[in-house]
Amino acid sequence: MFSTILIAVATMVTMTEAHGKYKACEYSELTKCNKVFMSGFTNSPQSTDMSDYCTAFQKYGDCLTQTKDCKGKFIDLDRFMILQHMWVDKELLVCKNHNIDGLTSVVNAHKKYRKEFEKVLKLSADKGDIFEGCAETIHKDCSRKMATDLRSDPRMCIGVSNFLDCYEKPGKKCKAKIYKDFADITKKVAKELVKMFKSKKGVMPNC
């Protein structure tokens, strides 16, 4: 399902080196939104459920929609990745109340990403073989790990990197399409985004 997405995004990532220069508004907006995201965890260090995780991602997604005029390779790719993440959160019932309408609208304004996200939405129409228990279990376990890490460690890159590593571990053991597709996205896109964030000190909090 995501093969076309991966080709399109991989091409974009190749064109955008991690140490390249991006627009000033991209740096400022992403710095602001990352801080908004992290504040959701630093303000609830004793939380034991996933409410802070869900709230943090909702605030992050909302933040990325506030300055629609800011466009560029960096922020467009991040918006696309966060939309994918929130969609999987919602579909696998980690954050069933996620509202992704606003972020979807912004992503859909980008012709390339609009076409790719339309393909993603087709997954929800076929729940017969993609929503195997392993996909839900993996996503919930890795999301809990991310939340635990970010509550105790202010370095956003550590929590995100650990989430990505967690997603890779099951490998071929889980056959669910939604797991395999999102695992491919995290491996080929999210890790590149982390490099892009770390290339400019201060954009990703404490990294």
Side-chain angles (χ1 to χ4, degrees):
M1 285 288 183
F2 282 176
S3 58
T4 304
I5 297 175
L6 292 174
I7 292 172
V9 176
T11 300
M12 184 175 182
V13 170
T14 300
M15 294 171 60
T16 309
E17 296 183 0
H19 297 285
K21 293 183 178 180
Y22 308 101
K23 297 177 182 178
C25 72
E26 293 181 86
Y27 286 129
S28 62
E29 288 304 306
L30 290 172
T31 298
K32 178 184 71 176
C33 293
N34 284 338
K35 288 181 178 178
V36 167
F37 175 73
M38 285 301 295
S39 69
F41 297 102
T42 56
N43 292 333
S44 60
Q46 303 303 318
S47 180
T48 57
D49 60 18
M50 293 297 287
S51 60
D52 55 349
Y53 168 94
C54 295
T55 298
F57 266 100
Q58 185 66 61
K59 288 184 176 180
Y60 194 13
D62 291 344
C63 183
L64 289 172
T65 69
Q66 290 176 359
T67 310
K68 299 177 182 179
D69 292 337
C70 181
K71 301 175 182 178
K73 293 179 179 179
F74 196 174
I75 196 168
D76 288 343
L77 187 59
D78 192 51
R79 284 170 175 150
F80 183 67
M81 186 68 238
I82 294 303
L83 178 58
Q84 299 258 1
H85 192 120
M86 292 180 69
W87 182 83
V88 175
D89 276 345
K90 189 177 179 72
E91 290 296 316
L92 293 182
L93 306 180
V94 173
C95 303
K96 60 183 180 181
N97 294 320
H98 267 340
N99 184 337
I100 60 174
D101 292 346
L103 187 55
T104 300
S105 178
V106 174
V107 170
N108 282 346
H110 193 297
K111 185 177 180 180
K112 178 188 294 184
Y113 289 140
R114 180 178 70 249
K115 291 181 178 179
E116 305 313 331
F117 193 61
E118 286 174 354
K119 295 181 178 69
V120 176
L121 295 178
K122 291 180 180 179
L123 281 171
S124 63
D126 179 19
K127 296 188 178 182
D129 67 338
I130 62 172
F131 290 91
E132 297 176 10
C134 60
E136 185 174 343
T137 298
I138 292 168
H139 194 71
K140 286 183 176 179
D141 287 347
C142 294
S143 298
R144 288 193 186 98
K145 179 172 179 54
M146 174 189 273
T148 299
D149 287 343
L150 295 178
R151 288 173 194 141
S152 59
D153 193 327
R155 294 173 296 172
M156 183 176 175
C157 54
I158 300 300
V160 173
S161 294
N162 286 345
F163 173 85
L164 301 180
D165 290 341
C166 177
Y167 234 86
E168 284 189 29
K169 287 182 180 179
K172 297 180 180 180
K173 293 181 180 179
C174 183
K175 304 297 184 182
K177 290 181 181 179
I178 194 169
Y179 164 73
K180 292 191 292 184
D181 291 338
F182 190 62
D184 282 342
I185 287 290
T186 59
K187 183 177 181 179
K188 298 180 181 180
V189 180
K191 286 194 173 184
E192 186 64 25
L193 267 172
V194 172
K195 292 179 182 178
M196 292 163 74
F197 276 119
K198 292 173 72 174
S199 70
K200 180 73 172 180
K201 188 175 182 179
V203 179
M204 184 173 269
N206 303 303
C207 295

